[in-house]
Amino acid sequence: KSPQGVQSCSDFSKVASKATWVVIPSVPTGVSLKADNNVSQITVSWIGNGANSYKIYRNTSNINASLTAIATQSTATPYVNTGLTVNIAYYYWVKACNANTSGERCSDFSQVTSATLVVPPDVPTGVSLSADSASQMTVSWNSVTGTNYYEVFRNTSNTNTALTAIFISPLASSSTTYSDSGLVSNTQYYYWLKACITGDNCSAFSEMVSTKTKIRIIKLNDTGITWGGNYPEGNQSGNNCSPTGFATGTKQDCHYGRDAQAVAGNLSRVGGGNAGFDFTKLGSTGTVLVAQTQDWSNTGSESAGTKWSCVKDNHTGLIWEVKSSVGTSSNTANIHHKDNTYRWGGKTALGREHPNREDAYYDDWNTLVDGSNSSNSGNGLCGFTDWRVPTPRELRSIVDFSQKDLTIDSDYFPNTPSEFFWSASPSVEKHFHDTDAAWEVYFDEGFGGYRSRDKSYRVRLVRSDFLATEGGQVVPSAVGSQEIKTYIPNEWHDNRYTVHHNGTVTDNNTGLMWKVCSEGQNWSKQSNNTASCSGVLRYYTWKVALELVNNYTFPVSNGYSDWRLPNIKELTSLAALDRSKPSINSTIFPNTRGSAVHFQSSSPYADDSNKRWIFVFNEGFYEDRDRDNAKSHVRLVRLGR
């Protein structure tokens, strides 16, 4: 202290700068290793935590003392450690580090992970592929010594990049075959294999094998019409197929197909039925009734052949539910009662499970579907547990267009009211007053159209060994003003057809060959291998349309002379019900008019002798029209049935 008792201090020292603090990052987590035995490398991955850099450490023992980092990365991008040796265990750690001008500070080591490279199995050899059916392939290969399991890969193009195995055989499996089901008819598939040992240590890909699935032929039933329609009006009686009012040699529906073969006595079939139909009655467990020609009786029995539960269509392979008139018409008391009715849209309705489905789906017929599949102590109606509501094509198949008032063979399908029956397919078009609609068939006259979904109609179930919508693919872009609904399965995709690049195309589903263009149009091949139909569609009376094909030869190489007017079932087989304006594949059949467009069939109308059946392609329904006054377009067909 100074004499006066006051404290005295020196001046400030020279300034010293303050160091910036470096934050130690947290320890990296999620460290994992992937050993790639084929190229002797291990990939190290971890979860980034925002550090400036990451250091990777490796050892051949579980000791991290005095280690030097083998790599440093500025991001948490996986590090690939190459040039390693098989049968040696490698241990890895990761540190996260931050640094600035003051230095670097790192986290502790991450948790250790280890991997051992092994010699992978040999690549499978002798890989072969066979198309078993329209929906199944079988892959076969030679056994690889020391392999625990195999992985099978599939693609629809010749590339195996980023593929996921569709099948992994059980460990220690000795199987060298794999059956791949649920495929699309007439579609090219590509396959590869890997042989693996425990720990997902696999060989490289085998050589690729490829082939197409088989073409599924969906057999069309004939119309049942064995008589001719006169012109301008009148129908022949019995099985008389000599209509009057046409030029000599003119032929129509009754001259072709299974119906004509039945009349001539040269149709081979398993069961019975009118004209070209071929039905067999089945008991409640699926057994064929011994007595097939007896009439139905509510008090009858299977042993006597007077009561049956199902009918098998031997031509199409479909099996149908038979309706009952026993008891009361209640959807729960007797689920098979003929008078039970339902709003549209229950289980197995097409599009029901699609995330982008449109409009109302009701659950009314679920009791019928579930009850049929669970009956007989879980064995199902007639021994089947895959009952569903039929597609429009399937429902049309049992229509007998030779009859009126009830267009079905009541000897096999008793207790069938002359009413509307729902199909499983929603309609692209709205019904009257802009209400949601779905497709149906009216068994009083046989025509097919669409009705409001909230209306209550009958349902007859069907089942088969193949999916009703088998072959559905990605929907193509709309052509012109065509409207396409993606939630409705597309059965009419390009792969369904074989284009011959000469003005003709074969429908692989039915075996029918069609002219690409309608009459009045001219076909030409475009530079990109697509077809063009130029010119204006012509309208024809029924008489002129039928006479058109007399001595007709379409001018192509190896020209055919058996073109004809299609019957109504053949014509409706082209209807693409996932679209409208027009309801046809417009890539395969270009320049088909999108509105007010109806086409002639060769089928006369049983309920009015002044009419014939036509198909309306702008929406996809068929109906009756006057033979003389209502002119229609013509698209010719050959082969089939």
Side-chain angles (χ1 to χ4, degrees), residues 50-73:
N52 296 147
S53 63
Y54 300 91
K55 297 180 183 294
I56 299 95
Y57 298 82
R58 185 193 69 205
N59 205 352
T60 54
S61 63
N62 190 6
I63 299 173
N64 59 22
S66 303
L67 289 182
T68 300
I70 61 172
T72 300
Q73 297 190 161

Side-chain angles (χ1 to χ4, degrees), residues 183-202:
L183 305 177
V184 177
S185 168
N186 193 35
T187 300
Q188 192 82 23
Y189 288 97
Y190 301 81
Y191 290 84
W192 298 262
L193 276 90
K194 286 184 176 182
C196 304
I197 59 177
T198 306
D200 198 26
N201 296 308
C202 300

Side-chain angles (χ1 to χ4, degrees), residues 71-182:
T72 300
Q73 297 190 161
S74 59
T75 64
T77 305
Y79 168 71
V80 180
N81 189 195
T82 60
L84 303 177
T85 305
V86 297
N87 297 324
I88 293 179
Y90 290 94
Y91 297 81
Y92 291 85
W93 299 261
V94 178
K95 283 185 177 182
C97 301
N98 284 332
N100 60 22
T101 57
S102 300
E104 181 182 65
R105 303 185 72 185
C106 298
S107 69
D108 290 337
F109 285 107
S110 67
Q111 187 174 358
V112 66
T113 53
S114 66
T116 302
L117 292 171
V118 297
V119 177
D122 292 335
V123 174
T125 60
V127 183
S128 63
L129 183 64
S130 63
D132 302 329
S133 68
S135 60
Q136 179 171 295
M137 299 273 200
T138 295
V139 190
S140 302
W141 59 93
N142 296 331
S143 177
V144 178
T145 302
T147 295
N148 295 119
Y149 62 97
Y150 300 93
E151 294 181 349
V152 180
F153 301 82
R154 180 191 68 215
N155 206 351
T156 52
S157 62
N158 187 10
T159 176
N160 57 22
T161 304
L163 287 183
T164 301
I166 60 169
F167 171 73
I168 300 177
S169 68
L171 291 177
S173 170
S174 59
S175 174
T176 55
T177 62
Y178 169 65
S179 293
D180 189 16
S181 58

Side-chain angles (χ1 to χ4, degrees), residues 366-613:
N366 289 357
T367 301
L368 174 61
V369 174
D370 289 340
S372 298
N373 288 327
S374 62
S375 62
N376 291 334
S377 301
N379 293 316
L381 176 65
C382 297
F384 300 104
T385 58
D386 54 357
W387 291 97
R388 53 183 172 78
V389 177
T391 64
R393 168 183 55 80
E394 292 170 329
L395 197 54
R396 287 193 301 264
S397 73
I398 54 174
V399 174
D400 186 341
F401 287 97
S402 72
Q403 303 187 47
K404 54 185 178 180
D405 300 327
L406 180 60
T407 54
I408 196 170
D409 192 334
S410 57
D411 289 341
Y412 287 87
F413 297 93
N415 309 310
T416 300
S418 301
E419 298 291 347
F420 292 100
F421 280 73
W422 283 124
S423 79
S425 181
S427 171
V428 174
E429 293 290 323
K430 298 287 186 179
H431 194 239
F432 303 113
H433 308 299
D434 202 37
T435 56
D436 309 335
W439 290 101
E440 42 72 19
V441 171
Y442 185 37
F443 277 90
D444 180 73
E445 300 173 27
F447 70 76
Y450 51 88
R451 301 276 159 176
S452 298
R453 300 184 187 182
D454 59 355
K455 302 300 182 184
S456 291
Y457 297 130
R458 270 81 173 173
V459 169
R460 186 188 299 278
L461 299 184
V462 73
R463 60 84 44 196
S464 62
D465 291 329
F466 52 90
L467 295 176
T469 56
E470 182 178 304
Q473 292 190 345
V474 175
V475 177
S477 299
V479 177
S481 60
Q482 199 172 42
E483 179 184 5
I484 295 179
K485 299 296 185 182
T486 58
Y487 76 102
I488 303 175
N490 174 23
E491 298 179 62
W492 308 271
H493 49 83
D494 294 355
N495 280 359
R496 169 171 167 167
Y497 304 94
T498 297
V499 179
H500 304 297
H501 302 296
N502 60 7
T504 67
V505 60
T506 296
D507 182 342
N508 299 314
N509 276 21
T510 63
L512 295 172
M513 178 182 285
W514 295 89
K515 284 190 64 177
V516 170
C517 301
S518 305
E519 294 307 297
Q521 295 179 320
N522 298 310
W523 174 85
S524 62
K525 182 180 178 181
Q526 303 301 295
S527 58
N528 59 357
N529 262 348
T530 61
S532 173
C533 293
S534 60
V536 180
L537 284 74
R538 293 177 183 170
Y539 285 96
Y540 303 86
T541 64
W542 198 47
K543 171 183 171 66
V544 175
L546 286 168
E547 292 176 344
L548 179 68
V549 297
N550 288 353
N551 303 314
Y552 183 95
T553 302
F554 185 41
V556 298
S557 57
N558 301 318
Y560 305 106
S561 59
D562 58 347
W563 293 101
R564 57 181 172 81
L565 210 60
N567 69 34
I568 189 59
K569 289 188 179 180
E570 292 170 330
L571 195 55
T572 59
S573 71
L574 290 180
L577 299 182
D578 64 334
R579 66 199 74 181
S580 65
K581 299 181 181 62
S583 55
I584 196 170
N585 185 324
S586 293
T587 301
I588 302 299
F589 300 98
N591 200 22
T592 299
R593 285 183 56 188
S595 63
V597 53
H598 41 88
F599 280 75
Q600 297 273 15
S601 81
S602 63
S603 305
Y605 183 58
D607 204 37
D608 188 331
S609 61
N610 187 41
K611 296 181 177 180
R612 86 296 191 204
W613 288 100

Side-chain angles (χ1 to χ4, degrees), residues 258 261 266-270 278:
R258 293 174 58 84
Q261 294 174 36
N266 56 15
L267 176 67
S268 175
R269 58 183 175 183
V270 177
D278 188 356

